[in-house]
């Protein structure tokens, strides 16, 4: 009788176990997968409660404009982080590309379309150099892109003579609005986000990025030419940085060699906040966009609340630390 009772109790316990074991992982996955979006929604609610001006239509458009340059930079950085790399040069490359466009069109009299193509080519070439240093020079990505950060900023100062250069009017329209209310930078941000999502999800290069970030040696053994892929990855990051620089210069109506200083940190933060892993192998363009919006909402809301810029830096740092902590928890959960 005792044996039967124990057997029945054990069977009942086994019958209950799947419910407990099945619920916890489901909740875990739901929180970790939708954490960035949930964080953005929660932040919007908090800011709306604290400031009655936050949900004003014009202010929400301002949030989109404020997020645009960071998001475009971050889309390019997403490619690098997914492949387990890092790119610290995007802010300088953005400034250099915009400076080249303004110098070529305003100073040298090149057609605007040719000046823009030259600026984009400079951005891609800068990324290509960083990729070559990483892939063929065997330099750590941190060192290679840190060197490009310095080189890019220095070249921007040399070309401009340290002074802002007027941006051509045809390109400056990228900083305007359509119909008097829809900001063009937001449209460019959405377009670049769609391109990034397409590259990550639908191209060979995108699949190679995830494979390299997941296990570089396994990717090499599976037939992926890792060195060439890294050249493509960093060139794409440089190209996206060039677009971001042109949009920023259009908003400022001038190319400023010191523009976008520190933006590389915001771009990396947006990618991590959006759910990408710094160890590589995971990341989405949509998550990166959410990360950029979180940073923009946070800063915009704190500005509306008249919070000191010093405390804003503290708040941003805490958000980044929380995002990295969630990334660590996610990887532990996966293991």
């Amino acid at each position: 009788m005792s044996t039967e009772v124990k057997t029945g109790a054990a069977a009942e316990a086994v019958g209950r176990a799947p419910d407990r074991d099945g619920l916890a992982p489901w909740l875990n996955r739901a929180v970790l997968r939708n954490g960035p979006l949930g964080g953005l929604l929660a932040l919007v609610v908090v800011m709306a409660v604290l400031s009655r001006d936050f949900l004003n239509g014009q202010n929400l458009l301002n949030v989109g404009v404020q997020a645009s340059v960071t998001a475009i930079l971050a889309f390019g950085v997403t490619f690098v982080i997914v492949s387990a790399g890092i790119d610290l040069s995007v802010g300088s490359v953005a400034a250099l590309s915009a400076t080249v466009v303004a110098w070529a069109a305003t100073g040298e009299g090149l057609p605007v379309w040719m000046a823009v193509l030259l600026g984009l080519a400079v951005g891609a070439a800068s990324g290509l150099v960083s990729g070559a240093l990483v892939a063929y020079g065997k330099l750590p990505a941190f060192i290679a892109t840190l060197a490009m950060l310095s080189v890019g900023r220095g070249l921007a100062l040399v070309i401009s003579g340290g002074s802002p250069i007027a941006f051509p009017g045809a390109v400056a329209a990228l900083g305007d609005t359509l119909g008097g209310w829809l900001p063009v930078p937001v449209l460019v941000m959405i377009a670049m986000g769609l391109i990034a999502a397409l590259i990550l999800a639908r191209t060979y290069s995108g699949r190679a990025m995830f494979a390299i970030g997941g296990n570089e040696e396994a990717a090499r053994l599976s037939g992926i030419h890792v060195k060439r892929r890294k050249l493509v990855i960093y060139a794409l990051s440089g190209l996206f940085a060039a677009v971001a620089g042109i949009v920023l210069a259009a908003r400022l109506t001038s190319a400023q060699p010191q523009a976008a200083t520190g933006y590389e940190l915001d771009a990396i933060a947006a990618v991590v906040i959006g759910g990408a892993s710094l160890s590589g192998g995971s990341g989405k363009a949509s998550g990166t966009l959410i990360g950029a919006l979180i940073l923009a909402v946070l800063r915009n809301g704190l500005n509306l609340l008249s919070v000191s810029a010093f405390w804003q830096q503290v708040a941003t740092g805490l958000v980044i630390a929380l995002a990295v902590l969630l990334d660590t928890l996610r990887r532990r959960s996966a293991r």
Side-chain angles (χ1 to χ4, degrees), residues 151-177:
V151 170
R153 188 69 65 183
L155 288 176
L157 289 167
V158 169
I159 293 171
S160 66
S163 301
I165 305 176
F167 218 53
V171 188
L174 289 174
D176 293 337
T177 59

Side-chain angles (χ1 to χ4, degrees), residues 25 40 45 60 69 76 135 140 149 153 167 180 194 240 273 275 286 288:
L40 176 60
V45 171
L60 293 179
V69 173
L149 179 153
R153 188 69 65 183
F167 218 53
L194 291 174
F240 274 68
I273 291 171
S286 59
T288 295

Side-chain angles (χ1 to χ4, degrees), residues 37-55 59-60 294 297-305 307 315 319 322:
L37 179 59
L40 176 60
L41 294 176
L43 189 58
V44 167
V45 171
V46 170
M47 293 304 177
V49 170
L50 295 177
S51 173
R52 65 180 65 183
D53 295 325
F54 180 77
L55 290 181
N59 184 65
L60 293 179
I294 287 175
V297 167
L298 179 64
R299 287 170 177 159
N300 179 271
L302 293 177
N303 281 331
L304 291 177
L305 296 172
V307 175
V319 169
L322 179 60

Side-chain angles (χ1 to χ4, degrees), residues 85-86 130 133-135 137-147 234:
I86 198 74
S130 295
L133 291 174
V134 172
K138 302 297 182 182
L139 290 181
F142 180 89
I143 299 300
T145 57
L146 185 62
Y234 282 91

Side-chain angles (χ1 to χ4, degrees), residues 5 19 31 54 60 83 92 121-123 144 151 264 267 273 277 291 299-300 310 313:
V5 171
D19 292 335
V31 171
F54 180 77
L60 293 179
S83 61
S92 295
V122 167
V151 170
E264 56 277 348
I273 291 171
S277 173
R299 287 170 177 159
N300 179 271
F310 305 138
Q313 289 186 345

Side-chain angles (χ1 to χ4, degrees), residues 19-332:
D19 292 335
R20 291 197 306 270
D21 294 342
L23 180 60
W26 181 85
L27 288 174
N28 190 37
R29 286 194 300 270
V31 171
L32 292 178
R33 287 179 180 177
N34 302 305
L37 179 59
L40 176 60
L41 294 176
L43 189 58
V44 167
V45 171
V46 170
M47 293 304 177
V49 170
L50 295 177
S51 173
R52 65 180 65 183
D53 295 325
F54 180 77
L55 290 181
N56 178 278
Q58 187 58 50
N59 184 65
L60 293 179
L61 289 175
N62 288 337
V63 170
V65 172
Q66 292 167 13
S68 59
V69 173
T70 298
I72 296 170
L73 283 174
F75 291 139
V77 174
T78 301
F79 302 138
V80 180
I81 290 181
V82 163
S83 61
I86 198 74
D87 192 347
L88 299 176
S89 68
V90 289
S92 295
V93 171
L96 173 61
S97 299
T99 300
V100 167
V101 172
W103 166 78
T106 304
E108 299 300 313
L110 287 180
V112 172
W113 66 268
M114 190 177 296
V116 171
L117 287 179
L118 181 60
L120 295 176
V122 167
S126 300
L128 202 61
V129 171
S130 295
L133 291 174
V134 172
Y136 293 95
K138 302 297 182 182
L139 290 181
F142 180 89
I143 299 300
T145 57
L146 185 62
M148 182 53 65
L149 179 153
S150 181
V151 170
R153 188 69 65 183
L155 288 176
L157 289 167
V158 169
I159 293 171
S160 66
S163 301
I165 305 176
F167 218 53
V171 188
L174 289 174
D176 293 337
T177 59
L178 292 179
W181 66 275
L182 182 59
V184 176
V186 173
L187 297 179
V188 177
M189 174 182 71
I190 293 172
M192 297 306 291
L194 291 174
I195 292 172
L198 180 64
I199 291 173
L200 286 171
R202 301 293 181 182
T203 67
Y204 174 79
S205 292
R207 292 190 292 272
M209 292 174 197
F210 287 103
I212 294 170
N215 189 319
E216 183 172 326
E217 184 60 26
R220 183 180 293 105
L221 293 175
S222 68
I224 295 175
H225 199 299
V226 174
K227 291 181 178 179
R228 291 179 185 172
R229 289 303 107 195
K230 286 187 176 181
L231 291 180
V232 173
I233 290 166
Y234 282 91
L236 282 171
S237 180
L239 181 61
F240 274 68
V243 174
I246 292 171
V247 171
L248 178 59
R251 287 179 54 196
L252 300 174
T253 67
S254 66
Q256 302 181 15
Q258 294 288 9
T261 299
Y263 277 40
E264 56 277 348
L265 300 181
D266 283 351
I268 294 170
V271 177
V272 174
I273 291 171
S277 173
L278 285 172
S279 60
S282 67
K284 295 187 298 182
S286 59
T288 295
L289 175 60
I290 291 173
L293 288 173
I294 287 175
L295 291 175
V297 167
L298 179 64
R299 287 170 177 159
N300 179 271
L302 293 177
N303 281 331
L304 291 177
L305 296 172
S306 300
V307 175
S308 164
F310 305 138
W311 283 110
Q312 289 186 34
Q313 289 186 345
V314 173
T316 303
L318 291 175
V319 169
I320 295 171
L322 179 60
V324 175
L325 177 61
L326 288 175
D327 172 48
T328 302
L329 293 176
R330 181 170 54 247
R331 285 188 283 113
R332 287 179 180 174

